Amino acid sequence: MTKHVDRRHALALTALSLAAATLLSGCGKVPDTIKIGVAQPLSGPLEALGQDLLNGVNLAVAELNQAGYTVDGKRVTLEVVAVDDKADAATGKTVAQQLVDGGVVAVIGHLNSGVSIEAAPIYAAKGIAQIAISTNPKFTQLGFPTTFRMVANDNLQARAIGSFAATQLGATRYAALDDGTPYGKGLADGAAEQLKAEKKEILIRKSFDDKTVAFDDLAAELKASKVEVIVSTLNDFQAVALLEALRKVGYTKVKLLGGDTIKTTDMAKAMGMVDGIYATSPVLEAKEFGSTGKTFLEKYTAAYKKPPAYGGHYSYDSTHVLSAAIRKAKSANPTEITKAMHSINGYAPVIGTMTWDDKGEQRYAAVGVYELRAGAWELRMRSDRW
């Protein structure tokens, strides 16, 4: 069961939260309904990704409810309360407070690192676990016990980009570009550091904003510098625009290695523009997990009539692990649930296990490197020890 919340319902949610608080503090009994918050971009350019993460939660909750979910021997209904953070930090803080006021016991959110970081203190103030797919290391460096990450962070991904670019692409002359966001700049800086550690020369290091598509001057500079590999954290539409600019100046003997913002179906339109297009991602595809991934894909497709767009299997697994933590806590008290999250070695139906260190980082997260071939992304290599 899912509810969508907007500002018009904020006062009603406050009343509900007071009632929930009274119930929990009055006798400590497990309530009939336990609310799980989901905060993702459910409109705008990242709507498909946010909706995919929400779909994963809804699928898990439906399964748990149908199976007769219990806490401390009592039958409980899990309810999803979904809000749209619009991939905006200010909006993220507003909807985070709405979820807190609405009495959620934990939150699956957010997609964007900048939003997760800004919202984290709001959840932490009430001891509410925040399980994010955001990858910026700062998220788990805030010092809150409530921050948990679903996947590998940007430190590992940066090492993957730098290591793969240095050892697998047969080049000596590099450029490093980013989109100016905390995610993009941090990841590009880390990749550049790894390239330098591998004794590779970075001839061009530039930042843009996340909307720039005019790259004629940059293309000319890349050509003049004879860059062989472009390491980029630009978005997919920006990467396509850059490759088109390179083609205009007749400089296509180059390879592009990006982050997960280019690992999209839209990048297929860039096939053949340059010698090679690669992407790294800490969000491994469901199909990479063998039979468990296949089972998830079948269930997801049956429920939503389309394949996952991004990381729905991670939010699905996170919800199952969260449900186990609630059971372990034998309580709907957010602080007790957060404690259980730190001590649990959770069974994750798709990826196998989710377990966190004291900061909330995944202990066994990996980063994959993919190559765009025949219009589709194919896994080249994967490691948790880049």
Side-chain angles (χ1 to χ4, degrees):
M1 179 176 176
T2 303
K3 286 187 178 180
H4 288 268
V5 180
D6 58 30
R7 295 182 183 180
R8 292 173 297 176
H9 298 111
L11 292 176
L13 286 173
T14 301
L16 287 172
S17 69
L18 290 173
T22 300
L23 174 64
L24 291 174
S25 62
C27 57
K29 292 181 179 179
V30 177
D32 294 333
T33 299
I34 293 178
K35 297 179 181 180
I36 298 172
V38 178
Q40 303 292 346
L42 302 177
S43 62
L46 298 179
E47 177 182 358
L49 306 188
Q51 186 63 52
D52 183 46
L53 292 165
L54 173 57
N55 287 348
V57 177
N58 281 334
L59 188 61
V61 164
E63 290 177 354
L64 289 161
N65 285 337
Q66 186 175 8
Y69 181 68
T70 60
V71 179
D72 198 21
K74 177 180 179 178
R75 179 74 178 265
V76 172
T77 298
L78 296 175
E79 178 183 306
V80 178
V81 182
V83 293
D84 181 7
D85 67 23
K86 303 184 185 298
D88 174 73
T91 303
K93 291 169 68 175
T94 298
V95 298
Q97 190 62 56
Q98 289 177 9
L99 291 176
V100 170
D101 293 342
V104 301
V105 302
V107 174
I108 310 294
H110 301 245
L111 170 66
N112 304 84
S113 292
V115 182
S116 285
I117 290 167
E118 289 297 315
I122 296 171
Y123 302 127
K126 298 298 182 181
I128 295 173
Q130 176 189 3
I131 311 170
I133 204 165
S134 306
T135 54
N136 192 303
K138 292 179 181 177
F139 171 61
T140 54
Q141 294 170 356
L142 295 169
F144 301 133
T146 49
T147 55
F148 298 87
R149 200 190 310 274
M150 298 182 198
V151 295
N153 67 28
D154 288 344
N155 289 338
L156 185 63
Q157 189 175 4
R159 292 200 298 272
I161 293 173
S163 178
F164 186 86
T167 63
Q168 303 297 315
L169 297 182
T172 58
R173 302 169 71 84
Y174 295 79
L177 315 173
D178 70 71
D179 67 354
T181 64
Y183 158 80
K185 192 173 188 310
L187 190 57
D189 284 343
E193 289 177 11
Q194 183 65 31
L195 282 168
K196 290 177 183 177
E198 301 271 1
K199 309 300 182 186
K200 299 298 183 180
E201 186 178 12
I202 301 175
L203 298 163
I204 297 173
R205 175 71 183 96
K206 289 194 171 186
S207 293
F208 300 87
D209 64 34
D210 58 358
K211 299 176 180 60
T212 299
V213 291
F215 291 116
D216 288 350
D217 291 344
L218 175 61
E221 188 176 356
L222 291 167
K223 180 178 181 179
S225 299
K226 299 180 180 178
V227 166
E228 299 164 285
V229 172
I230 302 167
V231 169
S232 162
T233 59
L234 298 173
N235 294 298
D236 55 0
F237 66 93
Q238 294 178 295
V240 171
L242 173 58
L243 298 186
E244 289 174 340
L246 287 170
R247 186 166 59 177
K248 281 168 57 179
V249 298
Y251 192 67
T252 58
K253 295 295 181 181
V254 66
K255 296 173 182 176
L256 174 73
L257 172 60
D260 41 328
T261 51
I262 71 164
K263 189 177 174 288
T264 67
T265 54
D266 283 351
M267 279 302 297
K269 65 184 68 171
M271 280 293 302
M273 288 188 184
V274 292
D275 280 356
I277 300 174
Y278 305 83
T280 60
S281 180
V283 181
L284 308 178
E285 295 184 27
K287 66 183 181 182
E288 295 176 40
F289 294 97
S291 60
T292 58
K294 181 180 179 182
T295 299
F296 170 80
L297 289 170
E298 290 172 349
K299 290 191 293 187
Y300 187 103
T301 303
Y304 303 111
K305 313 306 178 188
K306 61 182 178 181
Y310 183 58
H313 49 303
Y314 283 95
S315 58
Y316 171 87
D317 277 1
S318 296
T319 306
H320 274 282
V321 176
L322 171 61
S323 74
I326 295 171
R327 273 194 177 129
K328 184 175 182 178
K330 297 182 179 180
S331 170
N333 182 294
T335 300
E336 294 303 314
I337 294 168
T338 294
K339 289 179 182 177
M341 290 278 287
H342 277 288
S343 63
I344 200 168
N345 185 7
Y347 167 67
V350 180
I351 69 173
T353 185
M354 278 191 174
T355 181
W356 293 275
D357 65 17
D358 58 350
K359 290 185 177 180
E361 294 286 359
Q362 281 291 327
R363 294 185 184 275
Y364 308 112
V367 174
V369 181
Y370 303 81
E371 183 176 2
L372 189 60
R373 292 180 176 175
W377 291 102
E378 296 183 11
L379 180 68
R380 282 284 302 269
M381 59 193 303
R382 177 175 74 207
S383 176
D384 61 355
R385 298 180 181 275
W386 293 98

